[in-house]
Amino acid sequence: MEINSAKYLISNVDVKACPKPDKPEFAFIGRSNVGKSSLINMLTNNGKLAKTSGSPGKTQHINHFLINHDWYLVDLPGYGYAKVSRNQRKEFGKMISAYLQERENLMCVFVLIDSRLKPQEIDLDFLRQLGEWGIPFNVVFTKADKNTQSETAKNAKNFIHKMKEEWEYIPRSFITSSVKYLGRKDMLHYIGELIDQYYNGDDEGA
Ligand code: GDP
Protein backbone atom coordinates (compact mmCIF):
# COMPACT_ATOMS: atom_id res chain seq x y z
CA MET A 1 0.00 0.00 0.00
CA GLU A 2 1.12 3.53 -0.68
CA ILE A 3 -0.12 6.54 1.22
CA ASN A 4 -1.72 9.05 -1.13
CA SER A 5 -3.42 11.26 1.39
CA ALA A 6 -3.24 11.80 5.13
CA LYS A 7 -5.53 14.26 6.81
CA TYR A 8 -5.90 15.28 10.44
CA LEU A 9 -9.51 14.88 11.58
CA ILE A 10 -10.06 15.35 15.29
CA SER A 11 -8.49 15.17 18.75
CA ASN A 12 -10.58 14.37 21.76
CA VAL A 13 -10.61 12.76 25.16
CA ASP A 14 -13.85 10.86 24.73
CA VAL A 15 -14.20 7.69 22.70
CA LYS A 16 -17.79 8.69 21.97
CA ALA A 17 -16.60 11.77 20.13
CA CYS A 18 -14.35 9.78 17.79
CA PRO A 19 -15.32 9.59 14.09
CA LYS A 20 -18.04 7.13 13.14
CA PRO A 21 -16.45 3.65 13.24
CA ASP A 22 -17.14 3.02 9.57
CA LYS A 23 -13.56 2.39 8.45
CA PRO A 24 -10.78 0.10 9.63
CA GLU A 25 -8.68 1.70 12.33
CA PHE A 26 -5.08 1.24 13.46
CA ALA A 27 -3.85 2.73 16.71
CA PHE A 28 -0.31 3.58 17.77
CA ILE A 29 0.78 3.67 21.38
CA GLY A 30 3.94 3.42 23.46
CA ARG A 31 5.88 5.07 26.23
CA SER A 32 6.45 8.79 25.85
CA ASN A 33 9.46 9.47 23.68
CA VAL A 34 9.46 6.00 22.17
CA GLY A 35 9.37 7.56 18.69
CA LYS A 36 5.62 7.32 18.01
CA SER A 37 5.17 10.67 16.28
CA SER A 38 8.27 10.09 14.17
CA LEU A 39 7.00 6.66 13.15
CA ILE A 40 3.57 8.02 12.18
CA ASN A 41 5.20 10.78 10.16
CA MET A 42 7.52 8.27 8.51
CA LEU A 43 4.67 5.87 7.62
CA THR A 44 2.52 8.64 6.18
CA ASN A 45 5.50 10.32 4.55
CA ASN A 46 4.44 13.53 6.20
CA GLY A 47 6.98 15.27 8.38
CA LYS A 48 4.36 17.13 10.34
CA LEU A 49 1.30 14.92 10.66
CA ALA A 50 1.93 13.91 14.26
CA LYS A 51 3.76 16.37 16.47
CA THR A 52 7.23 15.26 17.45
CA SER A 53 8.57 15.37 20.99
CA GLY A 54 9.05 18.14 23.49
CA SER A 55 5.45 19.00 24.29
CA PRO A 56 3.61 16.16 25.97
CA GLY A 57 0.60 18.45 26.53
CA LYS A 58 -0.32 18.11 22.89
CA THR A 59 -0.30 14.36 22.97
CA GLN A 60 -2.81 13.63 25.70
CA HIS A 61 -5.68 13.14 23.31
CA ILE A 62 -7.00 10.47 20.98
CA ASN A 63 -5.92 11.86 17.60
CA HIS A 64 -7.65 10.64 14.46
CA PHE A 65 -6.19 10.92 10.97
CA LEU A 66 -7.89 9.80 7.77
CA ILE A 67 -5.55 7.97 5.41
CA ASN A 68 -6.23 7.39 1.70
CA HIS A 69 -9.89 8.22 2.43
CA ASP A 70 -10.38 4.65 3.63
CA TRP A 71 -8.76 4.00 6.97
CA TYR A 72 -8.13 5.73 10.26
CA LEU A 73 -4.76 6.08 11.88
CA VAL A 74 -4.98 6.89 15.57
CA ASP A 75 -2.25 8.47 17.63
CA LEU A 76 -2.90 7.57 21.27
CA PRO A 77 -1.30 9.30 24.27
CA GLY A 78 2.04 7.95 25.43
CA TYR A 79 1.95 5.99 28.64
CA GLY A 80 4.38 6.26 31.53
CA TYR A 81 5.14 9.94 31.17
CA ALA A 82 6.87 10.81 34.45
CA LYS A 83 5.86 14.45 34.69
CA VAL A 84 2.10 14.08 34.84
CA SER A 85 0.26 13.78 38.14
CA ARG A 86 -1.14 10.50 39.36
CA ASN A 87 -4.64 11.85 38.79
CA GLN A 88 -3.87 12.79 35.21
CA ARG A 89 -2.40 9.36 34.67
CA LYS A 90 -5.59 7.79 35.99
CA GLU A 91 -7.64 9.87 33.55
CA PHE A 92 -5.41 8.80 30.61
CA GLY A 93 -5.77 5.22 31.78
CA LYS A 94 -9.55 5.50 31.75
CA MET A 95 -9.61 7.21 28.39
CA ILE A 96 -7.26 4.71 26.75
CA SER A 97 -9.02 1.69 28.20
CA ALA A 98 -12.42 3.00 27.07
CA TYR A 99 -11.05 3.66 23.60
CA LEU A 100 -9.38 0.26 23.30
CA GLN A 101 -12.37 -1.69 24.56
CA GLU A 102 -15.14 0.23 22.83
CA ARG A 103 -13.77 1.01 19.41
CA GLU A 104 -15.38 -1.68 17.30
CA ASN A 105 -13.47 -0.92 14.07
CA LEU A 106 -10.05 -1.24 15.73
CA MET A 107 -8.09 -3.72 13.61
CA CYS A 108 -4.94 -3.69 15.65
CA VAL A 109 -2.87 -1.69 18.09
CA PHE A 110 0.76 -1.12 17.24
CA VAL A 111 2.64 -1.10 20.52
CA LEU A 112 5.94 0.70 20.15
CA ILE A 113 8.99 -0.53 22.02
CA ASP A 114 12.34 1.26 22.13
CA SER A 115 14.74 -1.18 20.50
CA ARG A 116 17.64 0.08 22.62
CA LEU A 117 16.17 -1.06 25.91
CA LYS A 118 15.94 -4.29 27.83
CA PRO A 119 12.35 -5.54 28.20
CA GLN A 120 10.51 -3.02 30.37
CA GLU A 121 7.84 -4.10 32.84
CA ILE A 122 5.60 -1.16 31.90
CA ASP A 123 5.46 -2.35 28.27
CA LEU A 124 4.93 -5.99 29.22
CA ASP A 125 2.14 -4.89 31.59
CA PHE A 126 0.45 -2.99 28.80
CA LEU A 127 0.60 -6.02 26.49
CA ARG A 128 -0.82 -8.18 29.27
CA GLN A 129 -3.74 -5.78 29.57
CA LEU A 130 -4.38 -5.91 25.82
CA GLY A 131 -4.30 -9.69 26.05
CA GLU A 132 -6.85 -9.69 28.85
CA TRP A 133 -9.14 -7.51 26.77
CA GLY A 134 -8.57 -9.66 23.69
CA ILE A 135 -7.35 -6.74 21.60
CA PRO A 136 -5.13 -7.65 18.64
CA PHE A 137 -1.73 -6.01 18.68
CA ASN A 138 1.66 -6.02 17.03
CA VAL A 139 4.95 -4.95 18.52
CA VAL A 140 7.00 -2.31 16.70
CA PHE A 141 10.61 -1.83 17.73
CA THR A 142 11.68 1.77 17.16
CA LYS A 143 14.94 3.69 16.65
CA ALA A 144 16.76 0.72 15.15
CA ASP A 145 19.37 3.05 13.63
CA LYS A 146 20.62 3.99 17.08
CA ASN A 147 22.32 0.64 17.55
CA THR A 148 24.11 -1.88 15.40
CA GLN A 149 21.84 -4.26 13.55
CA SER A 150 22.95 -7.17 15.71
CA GLU A 151 22.38 -5.24 18.95
CA THR A 152 18.88 -4.24 17.79
CA ALA A 153 18.12 -7.83 16.76
CA LYS A 154 19.34 -9.07 20.14
CA ASN A 155 17.13 -6.64 22.05
CA ALA A 156 14.11 -7.48 19.91
CA LYS A 157 14.77 -11.18 20.44
CA ASN A 158 15.03 -10.67 24.19
CA PHE A 159 11.71 -8.87 24.25
CA ILE A 160 9.98 -11.59 22.23
CA HIS A 161 11.61 -14.19 24.45
CA LYS A 162 10.16 -12.44 27.51
CA MET A 163 6.73 -12.45 25.87
CA LYS A 164 7.02 -16.16 25.16
CA GLU A 165 7.19 -16.78 28.91
CA GLU A 166 3.52 -15.89 29.13
CA TRP A 167 2.09 -15.89 25.61
CA GLU A 168 1.31 -18.92 23.53
CA TYR A 169 0.98 -16.96 20.33
CA ILE A 170 3.43 -14.20 19.50
CA PRO A 171 2.07 -11.74 16.95
CA ARG A 172 4.20 -10.42 14.17
CA SER A 173 6.66 -7.69 15.09
CA PHE A 174 8.43 -5.00 13.08
CA ILE A 175 11.85 -3.42 13.40
CA THR A 176 11.77 0.23 12.38
CA SER A 177 13.80 3.38 12.10
CA SER A 178 12.07 6.63 11.26
CA VAL A 179 15.40 8.15 10.32
CA LYS A 180 16.23 5.40 7.83
CA TYR A 181 12.66 4.63 6.76
CA LEU A 182 13.27 1.08 7.92
CA GLY A 183 10.22 -1.15 8.29
CA ARG A 184 7.91 1.24 6.44
CA LYS A 185 7.17 -1.05 3.51
CA ASP A 186 6.52 -4.06 5.72
CA MET A 187 4.20 -2.18 8.05
CA LEU A 188 2.22 -0.59 5.22
CA HIS A 189 1.94 -3.95 3.48
CA TYR A 190 0.64 -5.52 6.69
CA ILE A 191 -1.87 -2.70 7.26
CA GLY A 192 -2.95 -3.02 3.61
CA GLU A 193 -3.66 -6.72 4.07
CA LEU A 194 -5.83 -6.09 7.12
CA ILE A 195 -7.69 -3.32 5.29
CA ASP A 196 -8.40 -5.72 2.43
CA GLN A 197 -9.74 -8.22 4.92
CA TYR A 198 -12.00 -5.57 6.43
CA TYR A 199 -13.48 -4.50 3.11
CA ASN A 200 -13.44 -7.81 1.24
CA GLY A 201 -13.67 -10.37 4.02
CA ASP A 202 -10.88 -12.80 4.68
CA ASP A 203 -10.70 -14.49 1.30
CA GLU A 204 -7.30 -16.11 1.91
CA GLY A 205 -7.81 -19.68 0.79
CA ALA A 206 -11.58 -19.22 0.65
P1 GDP B 1 7.01 10.25 20.87
O1 GDP B 1 7.05 11.04 22.13
O2 GDP B 1 6.87 8.80 21.14
O3 GDP B 1 6.05 10.75 19.84
O4 GDP B 1 8.50 10.35 20.23
P2 GDP B 1 9.06 11.29 19.07
O5 GDP B 1 8.66 10.78 17.74
O6 GDP B 1 8.74 12.70 19.39
O7 GDP B 1 10.62 10.98 19.22
C1 GDP B 1 11.32 11.22 20.43
C2 GDP B 1 12.76 11.52 20.09
O8 GDP B 1 13.37 10.40 19.49
C3 GDP B 1 12.92 12.68 19.09
O9 GDP B 1 14.07 13.40 19.44
C4 GDP B 1 13.09 11.98 17.76
O10 GDP B 1 13.83 12.73 16.84
C5 GDP B 1 13.84 10.72 18.19
N1 GDP B 1 13.53 9.59 17.29
C6 GDP B 1 12.32 9.08 17.02
N2 GDP B 1 12.39 8.05 16.18
C7 GDP B 1 13.71 7.90 15.88
C8 GDP B 1 14.44 7.00 15.04
O11 GDP B 1 13.91 6.09 14.38
N3 GDP B 1 15.80 7.15 15.02
C9 GDP B 1 16.44 8.11 15.74
N4 GDP B 1 17.77 8.17 15.66
N5 GDP B 1 15.78 8.97 16.53
C10 GDP B 1 14.43 8.88 16.60
Side-chain angles (χ1 to χ4, degrees):
M1 177 184 45
E2 253 321 311
I3 305 264
N4 304 313
S5 66
K7 189 178 148 212
Y8 165 75
L9 288 181
I10 187 172
S11 295
N12 66 75
V13 292
D14 182 359
V15 61
K16 294 190 175 56
C18 288
K20 214 162 101 192
D22 57 355
K23 295 178 176 54
E25 180 154 314
F26 298 83
F28 292 73
I29 195 167
R31 284 211 294 166
S32 304
N33 227 34
V34 71
K36 180 168 49 77
S37 310
S38 305
L39 183 85
I40 291 172
N41 293 342
M42 183 268 269
L43 289 176
T44 55
N45 217 354
N46 182 329
K48 288 185 288 209
L49 199 66
K51 309 258 188 313
T52 39
S53 75
S55 46
K58 291 191 184 124
T59 58
Q60 293 165 12
H61 289 72
I62 302 167
N63 303 294
H64 269 81
F65 301 92
L66 178 63
I67 313 293
N68 289 354
H69 304 285
D70 70 354
W71 60 280
Y72 295 124
L73 184 155
V74 177
D75 184 3
L76 291 174
Y79 53 79
Y81 186 67
K83 284 186 190 156
V84 300
S85 71
R86 187 177 295 186
N87 236 353
Q88 264 176 312
R89 213 171 297 163
K90 226 165 104 187
E91 288 308 310
F92 291 172
K94 271 199 242 163
M95 173 179 82
I96 295 171
S97 65
Y99 167 82
L100 292 170
Q101 292 179 91
E102 290 174 32
R103 199 67 183 155
E104 65 207 59
N105 57 334
L106 185 59
M107 304 297 287
C108 107
V109 180
F110 290 110
V111 182
L112 276 52
I113 305 290
D114 191 325
S115 70
R116 295 169 301 174
L117 306 179
K118 292 198 177 72
Q120 305 284 303
E121 212 37 55
I122 188 170
D123 293 323
L124 292 162
D125 268 350
F126 185 73
L127 296 183
R128 246 170 242 136
Q129 183 64 81
L130 289 179
E132 273 169 35
W133 289 333
I135 293 164
F137 69 85
N138 294 88
V139 168
V140 179
F141 297 101
T142 61
K143 307 189 186 181
D145 61 287
K146 290 218 176 196
N147 255 330
T148 62
Q149 217 175 326
S150 63
E151 192 65 25
T152 301
K154 194 177 91 190
N155 288 344
K157 211 171 136 194
N158 278 344
F159 191 87
I160 301 290
H161 184 75
K162 197 82 189 154
M163 283 176 73
K164 281 188 177 155
E165 288 174 10
E166 40 190 302
W167 296 77
E168 240 169 78
Y169 167 73
I170 304 294
R172 180 164 170 191
S173 58
F174 299 90
I175 289 182
T176 67
S177 159
S178 301
V179 172
K180 298 212 161 151
Y181 271 56
L182 180 72
R184 181 174 189 271
K185 216 171 135 203
D186 283 351
M187 283 192 74
L188 290 182
H189 183 77
Y190 179 74
I191 291 171
E193 280 179 349
L194 292 179
I195 291 172
D196 281 351
Q197 280 176 26
Y198 178 94
Y199 285 115
N200 306 320
D202 186 5
D203 51 13
E204 286 270 311

